[in-house]
Amino acid sequence: MRGARATRLPLAYRLAAILLRPLLLGLTKRDWRGVENLPATGGCVVSPNHISYIDPLIFAHFMYDNRREAYFLAKESLFTIPVVGWVIRRSGQIPVYRNSLAAAEAYRSAVAAVQEGKAVAIFPEGTITRDPDLWPMRGKTGAARVALETRCPLIPVAQWGPQEILSPYGRRPKFFPRKTMQLRAGPPVDLSDLYGKPIDTRTLREATDRLMDRITGLLEEIRGEQHVHGRFDPRQHGVPEIGDPVKHHEIGRPTPGATEGEGA
């Protein structure tokens, strides 16, 4: 166990941890590696791949138990759910308004959170991967933008196992037999050569590609296999970038961890 927490937790965050942590300890096994790469103090951006609706809960557990509680960028619809929305809002999570002029507010809030010394969790894919084999797909540039703006550490994290509890876009969790949640944090992505350059499309794409390469490499280590095909780009495959692609019959191959009867 690491030392004292980097920042004081909001009351709602502490209450959620008190209620949920014992459940996760009982319902999952854990194989957590690379925790020495999580900065003990100071603001940072921590970026995991996205494979299941349950990812934020598993990733929050990983971060919390390693004394770097995560503050997530979360889609605004979650803030309207009774009770859940209250907890999310009161625990300091950051709302994201997709396809809206208000989307820039999430970026400003994320920058402010990093400057306050918080660990901001940003799923760089923006949604559950559309890759049929659950490899990281083409990343969005938000995580890189915050890291470049603040010059904070950008920590890549690979996770594997949440999809065995809840398949991508599934609704029926399967906790037993207990599944192992494998999370591996890597050293910060080196962006130092990009500091001082205009934070434009070219710079952001370069930084984002570096991040996605690192996450993919960590996931290769966990899965014990190589990612042999190019990074999946939803736009090139005509797959919607938000919402459930399976519901629209856009991805035909079964996804790992999915079982008959699970889906939308």
Side-chain angles (χ1 to χ4, degrees):
M1 185 67 70
R2 303 174 75 179
R5 298 193 180 279
T7 59
R8 180 173 174 80
L9 296 179
L11 177 60
Y13 205 128
R14 283 179 279 160
L15 290 175
I18 289 171
L19 293 173
L20 294 175
R21 183 173 179 271
L23 289 175
L24 291 172
L25 289 173
L27 293 173
T28 67
K29 302 176 186 178
R30 291 153 300 283
D31 181 1
W32 293 344
R33 305 189 186 190
V35 296
E36 69 278 4
N37 293 311
L38 299 175
T41 59
C44 61
V45 174
V46 189
S47 290
N49 58 312
H50 203 352
I51 50 180
S52 170
Y53 278 141
I54 205 171
D55 287 344
L57 195 58
I58 301 301
F59 185 66
H61 186 199
F62 171 73
M63 294 292 290
Y64 181 86
D65 272 22
N66 286 293
R67 303 290 181 177
R68 282 314 309 261
E69 65 282 348
Y71 291 86
F72 289 84
L73 269 68
K75 59 184 180 181
E76 84 286 354
S77 59
L78 296 176
F79 288 74
T80 64
I81 300 174
V83 182
V84 173
W86 182 89
V87 172
I88 292 174
R89 185 169 55 255
R90 294 286 184 170
S91 62
Q93 309 311 311
I94 302 169
V96 176
Y97 301 88
R98 288 173 169 171
N99 300 324
S100 166
L101 292 176
E105 183 61 32
Y107 166 71
R108 289 191 290 269
S109 297
V111 167
V114 168
Q115 292 172 338
E116 292 168 7
K118 296 178 179 178
V120 176
I122 302 178
F123 290 98
E125 297 157 284
T127 189
I128 293 174
T129 182
R130 270 75 169 117
D131 185 285
D133 297 315
L134 297 188
W135 290 104
M137 64 176 180
R138 186 177 191 270
K140 297 183 180 298
T141 60
R145 182 183 292 273
V146 174
L148 287 170
E149 173 73 22
T150 61
R151 300 193 180 186
C152 73
L154 175 60
I155 310 298
V157 180
Q159 56 180 347
W160 193 245
Q163 82 288 351
E164 295 182 359
I165 293 178
L166 188 64
S167 64
Y169 296 98
R171 304 289 183 181
R172 301 175 185 176
K174 296 175 63 176
F175 288 103
F176 298 103
R178 288 197 305 162
K179 282 72 173 182
T180 300
M181 303 296 102
Q182 300 183 73
L183 284 90
R184 185 169 303 194
V189 179
D190 186 5
L191 303 178
S192 58
D193 60 309
L194 302 180
Y195 296 160
K197 291 186 177 181
I199 304 180
D200 54 18
T201 300
R202 182 175 180 177
T203 301
L204 289 171
R205 179 46 50 195
E206 172 62 27
T208 299
D209 287 344
R210 292 182 193 181
L211 171 62
M212 301 313 298
D213 286 345
R214 291 287 300 280
I215 294 173
T216 301
L218 292 168
L219 190 57
E220 287 178 331
E221 295 175 12
I222 294 175
R223 293 174 59 165
E225 58 182 304
Q226 295 293 308
H227 176 230
V228 296
H229 57 79
R231 186 164 293 126
F232 190 89
D233 186 340
R235 298 175 303 177
Q236 293 180 1
H237 290 78
V239 178
E241 295 192 63
I242 59 175
D244 183 353
V246 176
K247 186 181 296 185
H248 295 89
H249 308 289
E250 296 288 353
I251 295 180
R253 282 188 286 163
T255 52
T259 58
E260 185 175 356
E262 292 183 331

